[in-house]
């Protein structure tokens, strides 16, 4: 009997160890609150050490052993994952094998210039790689989903492709008889509209003013184009001056008739649509009304009265610090 007991002892100990391991495998883990964790490349041991360091698993060694024993269920992926509080080893391995990586989002606001967009992308820490140079107006302002570690060049390429598609779509739906010769000219006009007004309901009306001026051969006299010239494509951090308006520069639409040679910002979809589907009216002028919008005029005399009222509003405002 004693001999038989000695033969059965290893098997019994194995069953006990297996039961303990299974208990550990399914027991709630140490994570006290949900968190997002980046699982780095480098193999099971590197992943386990990262998970232990972040407090997701109790032991990197136990994680590595569990992952190896259950290797038939699939490989462990390197990505960013959302881990719930109290996730067991079984839960963690299931997430790393079959769960969806965390989707981050980068929003490019409408009306930013290429330099601003490049800075925004450069400062997005979850992205990797170099930020390529951007042509002005080449990316579509939108919110783009990405995963931790995605390349900056890749997300900007997607934004450029989105602009190409959006521009082609609106150009195909353009109104008849527009004084715009190409999608490129529509993009240029849309960028001016984007910078001229922050009110969505004004875009088509502002577009109509510029279309009317183009048809009559009048200078567009758009302040955003002058500011773009004055700051050399950067953000102008001061008011425009008479010298800016008089400066001989291709983007100065006070001195040059027609559209400037390129966009002055990245316009959104609604500004693109406004450029090719402008409001039909006979306004030729507009000026700020003091409330964030504009007042429109048909004649220069009427416009000058509106400008005088705007200057009164400006004088009544407290001085800026």
């Amino acid at each position: 009997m004693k001999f038989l007991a000695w033969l059965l002892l290893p098997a019994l100990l194995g069953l006990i160890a297996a039961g303990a391991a299974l208990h550990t495998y399914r027991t709630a883990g140490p994570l006290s609150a949900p968190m997002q964790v980046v699982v780095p490349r480098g193999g099971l041991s590197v992943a386990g050490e990262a998970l232990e360091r972040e407090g997701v698993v109790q032991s990197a060694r136990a994680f590595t052993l569990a992952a190896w024993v259950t290797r038939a269920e699939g490989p462990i992926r390197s990505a960013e994952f959302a881990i719930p509080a109290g996730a067991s080893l079984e839960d963690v391995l299931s997430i790393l094998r079959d769960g969806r990586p965390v989707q981050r989002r980068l929003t490019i606001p409408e009306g930013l210039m290429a330099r601003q967009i490049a800075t925004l992308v450069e400062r997005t820490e979850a992205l990797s790689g170099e930020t390529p140079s951007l042509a002005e107006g080449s990316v579509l302002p939108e919110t783009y989903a990405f995963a931790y570690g995605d390349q900056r060049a890749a997300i900007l390429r997607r934004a450029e492709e989105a602009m190409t598609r959006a521009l082609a779509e609106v150009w195909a739906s353009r109104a008849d008889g527009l004084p715009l010769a190409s999608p490129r000219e529509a993009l240029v006009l849309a960028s001016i509209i984007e910078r001229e007004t922050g009110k969505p309901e004004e875009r088509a009306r502002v577009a109509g003013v510029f279309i009317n001026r183009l048809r009559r051969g009048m200078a567009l006299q758009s302040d955003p184009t002058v500011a773009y010239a004055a700051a050399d494509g950067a953000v102008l951090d001061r008011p425009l001056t008479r010298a800016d308006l008089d400066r001989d520069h291709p983007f100065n639409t006070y001195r040059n008739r027609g559209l400037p040679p390129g966009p002055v910002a990245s316009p959104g979809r609604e500004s693109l649509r406004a450029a090719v589907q402008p409001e039909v009216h006979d306004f030729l002028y507009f000026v700020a009304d003091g409330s964030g919008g504009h007042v429109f005029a048909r004649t220069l005399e009427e416009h000058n009265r509106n400008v005088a009222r705007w200057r009164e509003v400006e004088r009544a405002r407290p001085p800026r610090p």
Side-chain angles (χ1 to χ4, degrees):
M1 291 292 293
K2 289 183 179 180
F3 180 73
L4 181 60
W6 280 108
L7 287 177
L8 293 175
L9 182 60
L12 180 62
L13 291 175
L15 288 173
I16 294 172
L22 183 62
H23 176 72
T24 301
Y25 183 62
R26 291 178 174 167
T27 297
L31 196 60
S32 60
M35 73 179 301
Q36 294 177 188
V37 178
V38 176
V39 179
R41 297 179 184 276
L44 288 178
S45 60
V46 173
E49 289 167 4
L51 291 170
E52 181 181 331
R53 187 166 55 249
E54 296 293 340
V56 175
V57 300
Q58 194 73 46
S59 162
R61 183 178 179 183
F63 167 83
T64 302
L65 178 61
W68 184 82
V69 170
T70 61
R71 62 190 180 279
E73 296 179 15
I76 300 301
R77 293 173 298 157
S78 299
E80 183 179 25
F81 296 97
I83 310 294
S88 65
L89 270 176
E90 182 180 29
D91 297 331
V92 172
L93 287 168
S94 177
I95 291 169
L96 269 54
R97 285 175 171 135
D98 304 315
R100 185 181 182 186
V102 171
Q103 291 292 292
R104 291 177 175 252
R105 284 172 173 78
L106 169 67
T107 297
I108 300 176
E110 298 168 340
L112 293 188
M113 288 171 275
R115 293 185 187 182
Q116 293 173 295
I117 295 172
T119 299
L120 175 65
V121 173
E122 184 65 35
R123 292 178 178 175
T124 303
E125 295 181 356
L127 291 170
S128 63
E130 297 296 320
T131 302
S133 59
L134 291 173
E136 195 67 77
S138 63
V139 305
L140 184 69
E142 269 191 352
T143 296
Y144 296 90
F146 69 95
Y148 185 93
D150 281 358
Q151 293 288 310
R152 292 181 172 87
I155 199 167
L156 286 173
R157 186 164 55 250
R158 286 167 51 202
E160 289 174 334
E161 291 169 354
M163 175 61 87
T164 299
R165 290 193 300 270
L167 186 55
E169 289 169 7
V170 300
W171 183 250
S173 67
R174 67 190 182 279
D176 294 332
L178 293 178
L180 302 173
S182 66
R184 169 74 173 177
E185 290 192 354
L187 173 64
V188 173
L189 178 57
S191 74
I192 298 173
I193 296 165
E194 191 69 72
R195 296 290 294 178
E196 282 283 8
T197 181
K199 285 195 168 184
E201 65 271 19
E202 280 193 348
R203 290 180 179 129
R205 179 162 290 192
V206 168
V209 171
F210 289 132
I211 290 295
N212 289 343
R213 294 179 77 92
L214 287 171
R215 283 179 173 146
R216 296 189 181 203
M218 299 171 65
L220 296 185
Q221 296 185 332
S222 169
D223 287 358
T225 67
V226 181
Y228 189 85
D232 191 28
V235 177
L236 187 65
D237 58 358
R238 58 171 176 78
L240 289 174
T241 65
R242 172 54 60 180
D244 294 325
L245 299 177
D246 292 337
R247 183 185 177 193
D248 185 12
H249 191 284
F251 277 83
N252 185 348
T253 56
Y254 277 80
R255 287 181 59 95
N256 304 299
R257 297 180 187 274
L259 292 166
V264 296
S266 279
R269 292 181 185 274
E270 294 307 311
S271 290
L272 289 169
R273 189 171 291 109
V276 299
Q277 296 175 8
E279 183 179 310
V280 178
H281 54 62
D282 55 359
F283 294 124
L284 291 170
Y285 307 91
F286 63 91
V287 68
D289 63 5
S291 67
H294 296 82
V295 58
F296 296 78
R298 295 172 176 83
T299 67
L300 182 57
E301 181 182 8
E302 182 184 3
H303 176 63
N304 286 337
R305 289 196 298 269
N306 293 336
V307 171
R309 282 193 289 269
W310 164 242
R311 287 175 177 164
E312 290 175 4
V313 171
E314 283 283 87
R315 283 194 293 270
R317 287 179 173 176
R320 294 178 181 177

